[in-house]
Short mmCIF file of all heavy atoms in Angstrom, two decimals:
data_model
loop_
_atom_site.label_atom_id
_atom_site.label_comp_id
_atom_site.label_asym_id
_atom_site.label_seq_id
_atom_site.Cartn_x
_atom_site.Cartn_y
_atom_site.Cartn_z
N LYS E 147 70.42 -12.65 92.36
CA LYS E 147 71.23 -11.85 91.36
C LYS E 147 71.22 -12.50 90.02
O LYS E 147 71.04 -11.88 88.95
CB LYS E 147 72.66 -11.59 91.82
CG LYS E 147 72.76 -10.65 93.02
CD LYS E 147 74.19 -10.55 93.55
CE LYS E 147 74.24 -9.68 94.73
NZ LYS E 147 75.57 -9.67 95.51
N LEU E 150 68.02 -11.80 88.09
CA LEU E 150 67.90 -10.45 87.53
C LEU E 150 68.55 -10.32 86.15
O LEU E 150 68.04 -9.65 85.18
CB LEU E 150 68.66 -9.43 88.51
CG LEU E 150 68.59 -7.97 88.04
CD1 LEU E 150 67.09 -7.48 87.96
CD2 LEU E 150 69.37 -7.11 89.09
N SER E 151 69.79 -10.92 86.02
CA SER E 151 70.35 -10.97 84.75
C SER E 151 69.43 -11.72 83.65
O SER E 151 69.34 -11.27 82.54
CB SER E 151 71.71 -11.72 84.82
OG SER E 151 72.62 -11.03 85.72
N VAL E 154 66.70 -9.41 82.72
CA VAL E 154 67.19 -8.33 81.84
C VAL E 154 67.43 -8.85 80.42
O VAL E 154 67.02 -8.21 79.42
CB VAL E 154 68.56 -7.74 82.32
CG1 VAL E 154 69.09 -6.86 81.30
CG2 VAL E 154 68.27 -6.95 83.67
N PHE E 158 65.51 -7.85 76.82
CA PHE E 158 66.07 -7.54 75.57
C PHE E 158 65.70 -8.41 74.40
O PHE E 158 65.36 -8.01 73.27
CB PHE E 158 67.53 -7.58 75.68
CG PHE E 158 68.14 -6.38 76.33
CD1 PHE E 158 68.61 -6.34 77.57
CD2 PHE E 158 68.06 -5.15 75.60
CE1 PHE E 158 69.18 -5.12 78.23
CE2 PHE E 158 68.55 -3.88 76.22
CZ PHE E 158 69.13 -3.98 77.40
N LEU E 161 62.34 -7.31 73.37
CA LEU E 161 62.39 -6.09 72.51
C LEU E 161 62.79 -6.43 71.14
O LEU E 161 62.30 -5.87 70.17
CB LEU E 161 63.29 -5.08 73.20
CG LEU E 161 62.86 -4.54 74.55
CD1 LEU E 161 63.93 -3.60 75.27
CD2 LEU E 161 61.62 -3.65 74.28
N VAL E 162 63.79 -7.27 71.05
CA VAL E 162 64.28 -7.71 69.69
C VAL E 162 63.09 -8.34 68.91
O VAL E 162 62.89 -8.00 67.72
CB VAL E 162 65.46 -8.62 69.82
CG1 VAL E 162 65.86 -9.20 68.40
CG2 VAL E 162 66.65 -7.86 70.43
N VAL E 165 60.69 -5.81 67.76
CA VAL E 165 61.19 -5.05 66.53
C VAL E 165 60.92 -5.94 65.31
O VAL E 165 60.39 -5.46 64.23
CB VAL E 165 62.67 -4.76 66.67
CG1 VAL E 165 63.27 -4.25 65.29
CG2 VAL E 165 62.79 -3.66 67.72
N GLY E 168 57.28 -6.00 64.41
CA GLY E 168 56.82 -4.76 63.83
C GLY E 168 57.17 -4.74 62.27
O GLY E 168 56.46 -4.40 61.48
N ALA E 169 58.39 -5.33 62.00
CA ALA E 169 58.84 -5.40 60.55
C ALA E 169 57.86 -6.23 59.84
O ALA E 169 57.55 -6.03 58.75
CB ALA E 169 60.25 -5.89 60.57
N HIS E 172 54.62 -4.58 59.14
CA HIS E 172 54.86 -3.63 58.08
C HIS E 172 54.83 -4.23 56.71
O HIS E 172 54.23 -3.83 55.76
CB HIS E 172 56.12 -2.79 58.43
CG HIS E 172 56.49 -1.84 57.27
ND1 HIS E 172 55.89 -0.62 57.20
CD2 HIS E 172 57.37 -1.92 56.31
CE1 HIS E 172 56.44 0.00 56.20
NE2 HIS E 172 57.28 -0.78 55.61
N GLN E 176 52.35 -3.62 53.62
CA GLN E 176 52.72 -3.22 52.20
C GLN E 176 52.23 -4.28 51.27
O GLN E 176 51.78 -3.89 50.17
CB GLN E 176 54.35 -3.26 52.25
CG GLN E 176 54.89 -2.11 53.01
CD GLN E 176 54.54 -0.79 52.50
OE1 GLN E 176 54.52 -0.57 51.24
NE2 GLN E 176 54.26 0.14 53.45
N GLN E 177 52.22 -5.43 51.68
CA GLN E 177 51.66 -6.49 50.76
C GLN E 177 50.12 -6.25 50.48
O GLN E 177 49.64 -6.38 49.34
CB GLN E 177 51.85 -7.86 51.44
CG GLN E 177 51.34 -9.10 50.64
CD GLN E 177 52.09 -9.28 49.37
OE1 GLN E 177 53.31 -8.98 49.31
NE2 GLN E 177 51.35 -9.54 48.33
N TYR E 180 49.70 -3.41 48.19
CA TYR E 180 50.03 -3.87 46.76
C TYR E 180 48.99 -4.67 46.21
O TYR E 180 48.67 -4.62 45.00
CB TYR E 180 51.44 -4.65 46.83
CG TYR E 180 51.82 -5.02 45.45
CD1 TYR E 180 52.47 -4.17 44.57
CD2 TYR E 180 51.54 -6.31 44.99
CE1 TYR E 180 52.83 -4.44 43.34
CE2 TYR E 180 51.89 -6.75 43.73
CZ TYR E 180 52.62 -5.85 42.88
OH TYR E 180 53.01 -6.16 41.66
N VAL E 183 46.37 -2.51 45.03
CA VAL E 183 46.69 -1.88 43.72
C VAL E 183 46.51 -2.94 42.61
O VAL E 183 45.92 -2.61 41.53
CB VAL E 183 48.13 -1.30 43.67
CG1 VAL E 183 48.53 -0.88 42.39
CG2 VAL E 183 48.03 -0.14 44.73
N ALA E 184 46.99 -4.10 42.88
CA ALA E 184 46.92 -5.17 41.87
C ALA E 184 45.48 -5.47 41.47
O ALA E 184 45.12 -5.67 40.32
CB ALA E 184 47.58 -6.40 42.33
N ARG E 187 44.21 -2.78 39.29
CA ARG E 187 44.79 -2.85 37.91
C ARG E 187 44.04 -3.93 37.18
O ARG E 187 43.71 -3.89 35.96
CB ARG E 187 46.26 -3.18 38.03
CG ARG E 187 46.92 -3.53 36.68
CD ARG E 187 46.80 -2.39 35.63
NE ARG E 187 47.17 -2.72 34.37
CZ ARG E 187 48.38 -2.43 33.88
NH1 ARG E 187 49.39 -1.74 34.48
NH2 ARG E 187 48.74 -2.85 32.62
N ARG E 194 38.68 -2.68 30.51
CA ARG E 194 39.16 -2.42 29.24
C ARG E 194 38.93 -3.49 28.11
O ARG E 194 38.38 -3.28 27.08
CB ARG E 194 40.56 -1.95 29.16
CG ARG E 194 41.08 -1.34 27.86
CD ARG E 194 42.41 -0.65 28.06
NE ARG E 194 43.35 -1.53 28.22
CZ ARG E 194 44.12 -1.75 29.39
NH1 ARG E 194 43.73 -1.02 30.44
NH2 ARG E 194 45.05 -2.61 29.46
N ASP E 226 36.68 9.72 23.94
CA ASP E 226 37.56 10.87 24.31
C ASP E 226 37.94 11.61 23.09
O ASP E 226 38.05 12.86 23.00
CB ASP E 226 38.89 10.31 24.88
CG ASP E 226 38.81 10.40 26.45
OD1 ASP E 226 37.90 10.76 26.93
OD2 ASP E 226 39.82 10.07 27.08
N SER E 227 38.27 10.85 21.96
CA SER E 227 38.79 11.60 20.76
C SER E 227 38.46 10.76 19.51
O SER E 227 38.07 9.54 19.57
CB SER E 227 40.30 11.71 20.95
OG SER E 227 40.86 10.47 21.10
N TRP E 229 40.11 10.23 15.48
CA TRP E 229 41.21 10.41 14.56
C TRP E 229 40.65 10.30 13.26
O TRP E 229 39.97 9.36 12.99
CB TRP E 229 42.33 9.46 14.73
CG TRP E 229 43.19 9.65 16.13
CD1 TRP E 229 42.91 9.14 17.24
CD2 TRP E 229 44.32 10.33 16.13
NE1 TRP E 229 43.83 9.57 18.19
CE2 TRP E 229 44.80 10.30 17.47
CE3 TRP E 229 45.14 11.01 15.26
CZ2 TRP E 229 46.01 10.95 18.00
CZ3 TRP E 229 46.36 11.70 15.75
CH2 TRP E 229 46.71 11.61 17.04
N THR E 231 41.53 10.28 9.18
CA THR E 231 42.53 10.17 8.18
C THR E 231 41.87 10.26 6.81
O THR E 231 40.97 9.43 6.47
CB THR E 231 43.33 8.77 8.27
OG1 THR E 231 43.87 8.73 9.56
CG2 THR E 231 44.45 8.69 7.25
N LYS E 239 49.37 12.20 3.51
CA LYS E 239 47.93 11.91 3.83
C LYS E 239 47.52 12.86 4.94
O LYS E 239 48.36 13.26 5.77
CB LYS E 239 47.78 10.54 4.19
CG LYS E 239 47.91 9.46 3.09
CD LYS E 239 47.49 8.07 3.45
CE LYS E 239 47.65 7.10 2.34
NZ LYS E 239 47.35 5.75 2.75
N HIS E 241 45.77 13.82 8.33
CA HIS E 241 45.56 13.07 9.56
C HIS E 241 45.48 14.07 10.64
O HIS E 241 46.28 14.92 10.95
CB HIS E 241 46.75 12.17 9.75
CG HIS E 241 46.59 11.17 10.94
ND1 HIS E 241 45.69 10.14 10.91
CD2 HIS E 241 47.27 11.07 12.08
CE1 HIS E 241 45.75 9.51 11.98
NE2 HIS E 241 46.78 9.97 12.68
N LYS E 243 43.56 14.79 14.77
CA LYS E 243 42.80 14.36 15.92
C LYS E 243 41.83 15.43 16.41
O LYS E 243 42.08 16.59 16.39
CB LYS E 243 43.69 14.07 17.10
CG LYS E 243 43.07 13.62 18.31
CD LYS E 243 44.14 13.40 19.49
CE LYS E 243 43.50 12.85 20.83
NZ LYS E 243 44.45 12.82 21.82
N LYS E 278 38.76 6.84 13.53
CA LYS E 278 39.03 6.03 14.70
C LYS E 278 38.65 6.70 16.00
O LYS E 278 39.15 7.83 16.28
CB LYS E 278 40.60 5.70 14.75
CG LYS E 278 40.97 4.79 15.91
CD LYS E 278 42.36 4.23 15.71
CE LYS E 278 43.33 5.40 16.00
NZ LYS E 278 44.79 4.93 15.96
N VAL E 280 38.63 6.76 20.02
CA VAL E 280 39.29 6.30 21.14
C VAL E 280 38.46 6.54 22.42
O VAL E 280 38.07 7.65 22.61
CB VAL E 280 40.72 7.01 21.20
CG1 VAL E 280 41.52 6.51 22.45
CG2 VAL E 280 41.56 6.84 20.00
N GLU E 282 37.96 6.50 26.73
CA GLU E 282 38.66 6.82 28.00
C GLU E 282 39.52 5.69 28.57
O GLU E 282 40.67 5.90 29.04
CB GLU E 282 37.72 7.19 29.05
CG GLU E 282 38.26 7.86 30.28
CD GLU E 282 37.30 8.13 31.31
OE1 GLU E 282 36.32 7.37 31.56
OE2 GLU E 282 37.22 9.28 31.76
N GLY E 284 40.97 3.51 26.61
CA GLY E 284 42.11 3.26 25.79
C GLY E 284 41.77 2.28 24.67
O GLY E 284 42.72 1.87 24.02
N VAL I 260 78.92 -9.24 94.46
CA VAL I 260 78.19 -8.14 93.96
C VAL I 260 78.87 -7.54 92.70
O VAL I 260 78.16 -7.29 91.70
CB VAL I 260 78.10 -7.10 95.05
CG1 VAL I 260 77.51 -5.77 94.47
CG2 VAL I 260 77.17 -7.63 96.11
N SER I 263 78.19 -9.74 89.87
CA SER I 263 76.76 -9.62 89.41
C SER I 263 76.69 -8.28 88.60
O SER I 263 75.97 -8.27 87.49
CB SER I 263 75.86 -9.62 90.53
OG SER I 263 75.98 -10.83 91.24
N LEU I 267 75.51 -8.11 84.85
CA LEU I 267 74.37 -7.37 84.44
C LEU I 267 74.63 -6.27 83.37
O LEU I 267 73.94 -6.06 82.40
CB LEU I 267 73.78 -6.70 85.67
CG LEU I 267 72.33 -6.21 85.62
CD1 LEU I 267 71.36 -7.29 85.22
CD2 LEU I 267 71.95 -5.51 86.92
N ILE I 270 75.34 -8.01 80.09
CA ILE I 270 74.08 -8.42 79.51
C ILE I 270 73.38 -7.22 78.98
O ILE I 270 72.80 -7.18 77.79
CB ILE I 270 73.18 -9.21 80.49
CG1 ILE I 270 73.80 -10.62 80.67
CG2 ILE I 270 71.78 -9.33 79.98
CD1 ILE I 270 73.29 -11.36 81.87
N SER I 271 73.30 -6.17 79.78
CA SER I 271 72.57 -4.96 79.24
C SER I 271 73.25 -4.38 78.00
O SER I 271 72.52 -3.99 77.06
CB SER I 271 72.64 -3.86 80.36
OG SER I 271 71.93 -4.43 81.50
N GLY I 274 72.55 -6.55 75.28
CA GLY I 274 71.04 -6.53 74.82
C GLY I 274 70.87 -5.22 74.07
O GLY I 274 70.14 -5.25 73.00
N VAL I 275 71.42 -4.14 74.57
CA VAL I 275 71.23 -2.95 73.89
C VAL I 275 71.84 -2.88 72.56
O VAL I 275 71.25 -2.40 71.46
CB VAL I 275 71.89 -1.67 74.66
CG1 VAL I 275 71.95 -0.39 73.90
CG2 VAL I 275 71.06 -1.47 75.94
N VAL I 277 72.38 -5.66 70.60
CA VAL I 277 71.44 -6.48 69.78
C VAL I 277 70.19 -5.86 69.32
O VAL I 277 69.84 -5.77 68.30
CB VAL I 277 71.30 -7.81 70.46
CG1 VAL I 277 70.17 -8.63 69.73
CG2 VAL I 277 72.57 -8.60 70.57
N LEU I 278 69.62 -5.15 70.38
CA LEU I 278 68.39 -4.51 70.06
C LEU I 278 68.51 -3.36 69.04
O LEU I 278 67.78 -3.22 68.08
CB LEU I 278 67.82 -3.92 71.36
CG LEU I 278 66.44 -3.21 71.31
CD1 LEU I 278 65.37 -4.18 70.69
CD2 LEU I 278 65.99 -2.69 72.57
N SER I 281 69.34 -4.85 65.70
CA SER I 281 68.06 -5.42 65.16
C SER I 281 67.17 -4.27 64.62
O SER I 281 66.58 -4.39 63.55
CB SER I 281 67.25 -6.18 66.20
OG SER I 281 68.10 -7.35 66.67
N ASP I 282 67.06 -3.30 65.40
CA ASP I 282 66.10 -2.19 65.01
C ASP I 282 66.59 -1.56 63.83
O ASP I 282 65.84 -1.25 62.80
CB ASP I 282 65.98 -1.19 66.14
CG ASP I 282 64.98 -0.13 65.84
OD1 ASP I 282 63.81 -0.41 65.55
OD2 ASP I 282 65.37 1.09 65.92
N VAL I 285 66.08 -3.96 60.81
CA VAL I 285 64.50 -4.07 60.55
C VAL I 285 64.12 -2.85 59.88
O VAL I 285 63.38 -2.84 59.00
CB VAL I 285 63.90 -4.49 61.80
CG1 VAL I 285 62.37 -4.34 61.54
CG2 VAL I 285 64.21 -5.93 62.20
N GLN I 289 62.51 -2.58 56.48
CA GLN I 289 61.18 -2.05 56.29
C GLN I 289 61.23 -0.87 55.20
O GLN I 289 60.30 -0.85 54.32
CB GLN I 289 60.71 -1.44 57.60
CG GLN I 289 60.06 -2.48 58.44
CD GLN I 289 59.50 -1.85 59.77
OE1 GLN I 289 59.84 -0.73 60.14
NE2 GLN I 289 58.64 -2.48 60.42
N SER I 293 59.09 -1.16 51.85
CA SER I 293 58.08 -0.03 51.51
C SER I 293 58.52 0.50 50.12
O SER I 293 57.63 0.72 49.27
CB SER I 293 58.21 1.11 52.55
OG SER I 293 57.79 0.57 53.77
N TYR I 296 57.49 -2.00 47.46
CA TYR I 296 56.13 -2.11 47.14
C TYR I 296 55.53 -0.86 46.55
O TYR I 296 54.66 -1.01 45.62
CB TYR I 296 55.24 -2.48 48.47
CG TYR I 296 55.31 -3.82 48.83
CD1 TYR I 296 55.95 -4.39 49.87
CD2 TYR I 296 54.56 -4.81 48.11
CE1 TYR I 296 56.01 -5.78 50.17
CE2 TYR I 296 54.52 -6.11 48.36
CZ TYR I 296 55.22 -6.66 49.44
OH TYR I 296 55.18 -7.93 49.75
N ARG I 299 56.46 -1.04 42.88
CA ARG I 299 55.73 -2.02 42.21
C ARG I 299 54.26 -1.59 42.09
O ARG I 299 53.63 -1.76 40.99
CB ARG I 299 55.79 -3.38 42.93
CG ARG I 299 57.17 -3.99 42.73
CD ARG I 299 57.15 -5.44 43.24
NE ARG I 299 58.50 -6.07 43.16
CZ ARG I 299 58.70 -7.33 43.44
NH1 ARG I 299 57.76 -8.08 44.11
NH2 ARG I 299 59.92 -7.83 43.24
N SER I 300 53.78 -0.98 43.08
CA SER I 300 52.35 -0.45 42.98
C SER I 300 52.28 0.57 41.96
O SER I 300 51.34 0.68 41.17
CB SER I 300 51.90 0.13 44.43
OG SER I 300 51.93 -1.02 45.36
N LEU I 303 52.50 -0.85 38.68
CA LEU I 303 51.20 -1.52 38.32
C LEU I 303 50.07 -0.59 37.92
O LEU I 303 49.21 -0.91 37.24
CB LEU I 303 50.86 -2.49 39.61
CG LEU I 303 49.93 -3.52 39.30
CD1 LEU I 303 50.58 -4.52 38.25
CD2 LEU I 303 49.59 -4.34 40.58
N GLN I 304 50.12 0.59 38.51
CA GLN I 304 49.07 1.61 38.28
C GLN I 304 49.37 2.34 36.98
O GLN I 304 48.55 3.20 36.59
CB GLN I 304 49.02 2.63 39.44
CG GLN I 304 48.38 1.94 40.64
CD GLN I 304 48.31 3.05 41.83
OE1 GLN I 304 47.37 3.77 41.85
NE2 GLN I 304 49.26 2.93 42.73
N GLU I 305 50.54 2.07 36.44
CA GLU I 305 50.85 2.83 35.15
C GLU I 305 50.15 2.08 33.95
O GLU I 305 50.58 1.00 33.70
CB GLU I 305 52.34 2.84 34.99
CG GLU I 305 52.81 3.88 34.05
CD GLU I 305 54.38 3.88 34.12
OE1 GLU I 305 54.96 2.86 33.64
OE2 GLU I 305 54.94 4.84 34.46
N ILE I 306 49.22 2.73 33.40
CA ILE I 306 48.55 2.14 32.23
C ILE I 306 48.59 3.25 31.12
O ILE I 306 48.16 4.30 31.22
CB ILE I 306 47.06 1.82 32.45
CG1 ILE I 306 46.93 1.00 33.79
CG2 ILE I 306 46.48 1.04 31.42
CD1 ILE I 306 45.59 0.81 34.26
N ILE I 308 48.44 3.63 26.55
CA ILE I 308 48.23 2.98 25.23
C ILE I 308 48.95 3.70 24.12
O ILE I 308 49.24 5.01 24.29
CB ILE I 308 46.79 2.86 24.98
CG1 ILE I 308 46.10 4.25 24.86
CG2 ILE I 308 45.96 2.00 25.94
CD1 ILE I 308 44.76 4.25 24.09
N GLU I 310 47.83 5.40 21.30
CA GLU I 310 46.53 5.81 20.71
C GLU I 310 46.70 5.91 19.21
O GLU I 310 45.69 5.61 18.52
CB GLU I 310 46.17 7.22 21.30
CG GLU I 310 44.90 7.82 20.82
CD GLU I 310 44.62 9.12 21.53
OE1 GLU I 310 45.07 9.28 22.75
OE2 GLU I 310 44.08 10.08 20.86
N ASP I 311 47.69 6.25 18.69
CA ASP I 311 47.88 6.46 17.32
C ASP I 311 49.35 6.53 16.87
O ASP I 311 50.19 6.98 17.66
CB ASP I 311 47.23 7.84 16.76
CG ASP I 311 47.19 7.94 15.34
OD1 ASP I 311 46.52 7.17 14.66
OD2 ASP I 311 47.91 8.91 14.78
N TRP I 313 51.53 7.53 13.39
CA TRP I 313 51.37 8.09 12.05
C TRP I 313 52.65 8.23 11.49
O TRP I 313 53.69 8.79 11.93
CB TRP I 313 50.77 9.54 12.25
CG TRP I 313 50.48 10.20 10.90
CD1 TRP I 313 50.96 11.28 10.46
CD2 TRP I 313 49.54 9.70 9.99
NE1 TRP I 313 50.46 11.64 9.18
CE2 TRP I 313 49.62 10.67 8.86
CE3 TRP I 313 48.58 8.62 9.87
CZ2 TRP I 313 48.80 10.48 7.73
CZ3 TRP I 313 47.94 8.50 8.74
CH2 TRP I 313 47.96 9.37 7.75
N THR I 326 51.59 8.65 19.28
CA THR I 326 50.77 9.39 20.30
C THR I 326 50.37 8.38 21.39
O THR I 326 49.89 7.30 21.25
CB THR I 326 49.52 9.90 19.62
OG1 THR I 326 49.82 10.78 18.62
CG2 THR I 326 48.56 10.56 20.74
N LYS I 328 48.69 7.79 25.09
CA LYS I 328 47.64 8.25 26.07
C LYS I 328 47.82 7.52 27.29
O LYS I 328 47.93 6.28 27.47
CB LYS I 328 46.30 7.91 25.44
CG LYS I 328 45.07 8.41 26.31
CD LYS I 328 43.83 7.97 25.60
CE LYS I 328 42.57 8.30 26.51
NZ LYS I 328 42.34 9.69 26.74
N VAL I 330 46.21 6.35 30.46
CA VAL I 330 44.83 5.97 30.91
C VAL I 330 44.80 5.41 32.34
O VAL I 330 43.96 4.94 32.89
CB VAL I 330 44.16 4.94 29.97
CG1 VAL I 330 43.91 5.56 28.64
CG2 VAL I 330 44.98 3.65 29.93
N SER I 358 47.16 12.88 26.57
CA SER I 358 47.92 12.23 25.44
C SER I 358 49.15 13.10 25.07
O SER I 358 49.20 14.41 25.34
CB SER I 358 47.09 12.10 24.20
OG SER I 358 46.01 11.30 24.46
#
Side-chain angles (χ1 to χ4, degrees):
Chain E
K147 290 176 182 171
L150 183 59
S151 299
V154 170
F158 279 111
L161 289 174
V162 169
V165 169
H172 176 76
Q176 292 298 318
Q177 180 67 37
Y180 182 79
V183 171
R187 171 62 188 258
R194 191 166 66 253
D226 266 4
S227 56
W229 289 86
T231 305
K239 289 183 179 178
H241 187 64
K243 181 184 182 184
K278 183 172 68 174
V280 180
E282 187 183 48
Chain I
V260 171
S263 297
L267 194 59
I270 288 171
S271 297
V275 169
V277 169
L278 183 60
S281 299
D282 187 52
V285 168
Q289 276 185 337
S293 295
Y296 275 112
R299 290 188 177 180
S300 295
L303 205 55
Q304 292 181 78
E305 196 174 68
I306 311 173
I308 62 163
E310 182 178 322
D311 188 69
W313 185 243
T326 301
K328 179 181 174 66
V330 295
S358 298

